Amino acid sequence: MKLLLIGSTGQIGHETLQAAKQKGFEVLALDRQHYDLTTANGLSLALQQINSTIDAIVDAQAYTAVDDAEKNRDLCFQLNSHAPKELSLAAHRLGVPYFWISTDYIFNGTAGPYSEKDSPHPLNTYGESKARGEAHVLSNHGRVIRTAWVYSERRKNFLLSILKAALERPELRVVHDQIGNPTSATDFASDLIQLIQASLGGDGLKAKEILNLVGRDAVSRHQWAEQIILSAKALGFPIKCETIKAISSQEMPLPATRPLDSRLPREKALELLGHKMATESSLKESTDHVLRRVQQLHSDQG
Ligand SMILES: NC(=O)c1ccc[n+]([C@@H]2O[C@H](COP(=O)([O-])OP(=O)(O)OC[C@H]3O[C@@H](n4cnc5c(N)ncnc54)[C@H](OP(=O)(O)O)[C@@H]3O)[C@@H](O)[C@H]2O)c1
């Protein structure tokens, strides 16, 4: 089986590369250095990699800087809407299944939890660009996998921000009114590969379908911060934080408005993949796992 992986250096891309290799896939990984999808040349080179020897495509590239997107609208739409439109069209023409990752931020958060049948109502530019991307991908017979609040030991994410702040400061302020499903990139990637295998066998997700694939436990940002700090203390991190003050989103204004309740139910994923899927792990288990990897990374770096 040959997998074309676009965005192999991201949180999800990196873990998908590992999971696919473990399952015996041959992986052709494209990265921004050689395939900058904001340039006509980069996109054209990526399109040339789509041919009939490829069994499936995972497109995990994206513009993910949610606040910066408010001032970089064109760039954000280029990566989150235009590139997937062209890539999914090329895949459809050759009959190659195309899996694209979307987000809970396509919803406005007033009516969560949101099933795969709910229509997007984004609050910010990032969400708007991803909602547009979804529409293109689905009309080009692609498959859309929605996830949320992704974290790993690499790059930028909520877990790493909270850990850093908790190592430095005695008090943190964290919003209590945003609820969602934190999703470990490792767990997501493992289930995604299982889903691709099932889909290639005719049992998984069909063309033009959407699937929510998120971590099992839905919590507020504040509850998640508590779990991160509890786990970090238990693992021996020298945590300075003693108080995590719960505040409202209004008390922490950011350039991009976030949805308040963007939980994504998991019934469809459970039906397709069963209770043994990696995203069935508890938030505590997955948080511990990622924190152990952070420790490992630090000890490797000396
Ligand atoms: N992070 C979340 O909380 C979250 C939540 C819901 C859904 N998602 C979705 O999940 C997917 C993966 O997210 P992630 O957290 O893994 O993202 P990430 O860590 O920010 O990685 C994004 C990937 O896109 C690549 N990329 C950025 N600009 C590019 C360009 N101009 N040309 C080619 N590649 C480019 C990055 O390359 P470089 O390494 O060179 O930067 C990286 O490989 C995205 O579709 C995102 O919308 C994420």
Side-chain angles (χ1 to χ4, degrees), residues 169-173 222 229 240-245:
R169 301 206 299 266
E171 182 180 299
L172 304 190
R173 296 163 78 240
H222 183 266
I229 291 173
K240 281 210 180 104
C241 174
E242 280 156 14
T243 314
I244 314 169
K245 195 172 168 216

Side-chain angles (χ1 to χ4, degrees), residues 7-13 32 35-38 60-62 64 79 101-104 126 130 147-150 155:
S8 59
T9 53
Q11 295 191 86
I12 285 184
R32 187 207 310 227
Y35 301 87
D36 184 337
L37 300 177
T38 54
Q61 68 75 27
T64 56
L79 289 170
I101 325 295
S102 190
T103 169
D104 57 326
Y126 168 74
K130 296 293 289 189
T147 192
W149 296 21
V150 177
R155 299 175 75 96

Side-chain angles (χ1 to χ4, degrees), residues 212-246:
N212 293 342
L213 188 56
V214 289
R216 188 188 77 184
D217 297 327
V219 289
S220 71
R221 294 263 180 207
H222 183 266
Q223 287 169 321
W224 189 21
E226 284 182 330
Q227 179 61 65
I228 293 163
I229 291 173
L230 201 67
S231 290
K233 277 183 182 162
L235 288 168
F237 283 86
I239 295 293
K240 281 210 180 104
C241 174
E242 280 156 14
T243 314
I244 314 169
K245 195 172 168 216

